[in-house]
Amino acid sequence: VLPHLPDPAIAIKYMAEALKPGGRLVIWATVREGNDGLHYFDLLTSGLKQRGSYRSKYLLAFNLALATRPLQKLANRVPPITRFLPYGQYFQQIGKLPLARVTQNFYDAINAPRRNLFTEGEVVGWMRDAGLEVGVTIGADQKSRTWVGTSRGG
């Protein structure tokens, strides 16, 4: 949810305030680092997000799902290749899904009114500003992070 909020720092602050002493706030998100493709996808589809009809968004989503289907199937059938493909692990996972579900994934990405790609440091800063001790784990895909903030409270 945080990537779709206008001010995620405030949301983190409120969530941290609700924690009991020693309580944990866990956040997982796709990060800006290593995600230029997703960033440019959002830039290219921003006009469509605001003004496009359901039909135009669906047609784009279907065509993206169809155009990437060979990569999805290749990544699914030959797992070692995921290391060499941009978004290889993502393609591997969606390659297991029916085309209709993959189309829905692309549609959801096109239709989201906003998506902020944070840097790892931004989220660490927001959590520290909220009074949390922070640990970060880098996802296997190098494109996501899990932040665990622990309340110092007392």
Side-chain angles (χ1 to χ4, degrees):
V1 172
L2 288 177
H4 303 289
L5 298 177
D7 193 343
I10 289 175
I12 289 172
K13 180 179 178 282
Y14 286 131
M15 287 186 282
E17 288 173 359
L19 293 175
K20 294 179 180 179
R24 292 184 182 174
L25 172 61
V26 178
I27 298 171
W28 176 92
T30 303
V31 291
R32 179 75 172 96
E33 293 93 342
N35 264 312
D36 289 339
L38 192 54
H39 175 70
Y40 291 119
F41 174 84
D42 288 343
L43 288 175
L44 290 171
T45 59
S46 63
L48 187 61
K49 287 179 184 194
Q50 297 169 7
R51 296 179 291 284
S53 67
Y54 167 80
R55 182 172 171 74
S56 62
K57 292 176 189 178
Y58 180 82
L59 286 173
L60 177 58
F62 177 76
N63 284 304
L64 287 169
L66 204 55
T68 59
R69 200 62 171 174
L71 289 175
Q72 297 166 30
K73 292 301 182 183
L74 178 63
N76 195 26
R77 290 188 181 119
V78 187
I81 204 161
T82 61
R83 291 177 294 185
F84 305 105
L85 291 173
Y87 300 96
Q89 289 183 325
Y90 175 72
F91 285 136
Q92 183 183 28
Q93 293 302 312
I94 66 173
K96 299 172 186 174
L97 302 173
L99 184 62
R101 182 64 183 101
V102 176
T103 300
Q104 186 63 50
N105 282 5
F106 279 108
Y107 179 81
D108 289 346
I110 293 166
N111 206 40
R114 91 173 60 241
R115 175 176 34 206
N116 299 307
L117 293 175
F118 314 126
T119 65
E120 180 181 312
E122 283 177 311
V123 179
V124 167
W126 297 332
M127 292 178 89
R128 285 186 179 149
D129 289 348
L132 301 173
E133 294 177 15
V134 185
V136 182
T137 303
I138 299 172
D141 63 357
Q142 303 294 312
K143 298 177 186 325
S144 64
R145 303 290 187 273
T146 301
W147 295 266
V148 178
T150 305
S151 172
R152 296 181 191 121

